[in-house]
Amino acid sequence: MATDTRQTRHAVIAIMVSVAALSLGDALIKATSLSLPLWQIYILRSALVLPVLWGALCVRGTGRPVSVFWVALRSGLLIAMWLSYYSALPFMPLSAAAAAYYTAPVLITVLTAALSRRWPARRVLGAIFLGFAGVVLILRPDTSGFELATLLPLLAAFLYACAMVLTAHMCRDDDPFTLALALNIGFIIAGIGLGLFAGTAGSFALGPWHSVDASLIAIVAALALSILVGSVGAAFAYQNGPPATIAAFDYTYLVFSLIWGVLFFGEWPAALALAGIAMIAAAGFLSLPSARPKGP
């Protein structure tokens, strides 16, 4: 019991570090007004990450995935997830897209229950829905009107949930650095594929290639560090912790986003947003397994 509890705590720390890094990368893009198209970001960012991951695997003496098929499928799901989410942003408010995307932890719980044919404890279920309620308080999405594009963040949430459940059940024995390496190889392949259709001015996904200078390389390097920490951390977390518990702490992405908003842009959260942060924190602690031993 003590070992399982310690392992879960390490997984919780990993997912929080992961979402902190990923949210910081998003804030950096906004703060620097980065105008690179998505496919170029995929290629440049992962090109910087690959040597680091390869070196780490050489030092660790690992590298070959246990199952090439499941690792490749996981990478494909995550790449499609990011493409779906970013493709929706030109057509809907960011708050609405983020609120829809953060149905992923609920979907993770449902998928995990379906695979195991057993629902998690009521306490964990309550934590998931409490966290989601906190998300709604923070984002307060505008529900007026409807466009087909509003389904894309929901698709992204489903793809992310599938990828994380797959990580927990089929890629559990793979080195997290191997999973991250496969993901970034997939990013480069996807970037090249999208680049074949690039040239549409003003398109975030298919815009033309931008020239790269020293300052831009520094920004991309920071984004590469973000995806490195985020991809390894998320893989480790879902491999070593209960998916429903880790999903509850996945909500802290929004907490970190609010922190970066204050630091970079002076955007102080309103009272409802602060209440949402408190609900997300409570959901995380509520989802933690009890370390109290059973018996007298």
Side-chain angles (χ1 to χ4, degrees), residues 68-243:
V68 174
F69 173 78
W70 293 119
V71 171
L73 178 59
R74 175 187 181 273
S75 299
L77 288 170
L78 289 174
I79 292 167
M81 177 271 291
W82 283 115
L83 184 59
S84 299
Y85 181 70
Y86 281 125
S87 295
L89 296 183
F91 304 101
M92 61 188 301
L94 177 61
S95 61
Y101 173 71
Y102 267 87
T103 57
V106 177
L107 293 175
I108 289 172
T109 300
V110 172
L111 290 174
T112 301
L115 288 175
S116 64
R117 298 182 181 179
R118 182 180 63 183
W119 283 98
R122 292 181 180 178
R123 174 172 53 84
V124 176
L125 279 175
I128 294 294
F129 288 101
L130 179 63
F132 182 71
V135 170
V136 174
L137 276 183
I138 292 174
L139 298 176
R140 289 172 291 166
D142 179 14
T143 56
S144 62
F146 176 80
E147 293 186 22
L148 187 61
T150 59
L151 297 178
L152 289 174
L154 292 174
L155 174 61
F158 177 73
L159 292 169
Y160 178 77
C162 289
M164 293 304 102
V165 172
L166 184 65
T167 302
H169 291 275
M170 306 305 297
C171 302
R172 193 178 189 89
D173 297 326
D174 286 294
D175 191 309
F177 285 89
T178 298
L179 297 179
L181 180 69
L183 175 61
N184 282 278
I185 291 174
F187 273 131
I188 291 180
I189 294 173
I192 294 173
L194 290 172
L196 296 176
F197 302 95
T200 305
S203 171
F204 178 64
L206 299 175
W209 177 273
H210 281 239
S211 59
V212 179
D213 55 20
S215 61
L216 193 56
I217 291 176
I219 295 171
V220 173
L223 295 176
L225 180 60
S226 168
I227 194 65
L228 173 64
V229 174
S231 58
V232 174
F236 176 86
Y238 279 96
Q239 283 178 326
N240 292 277

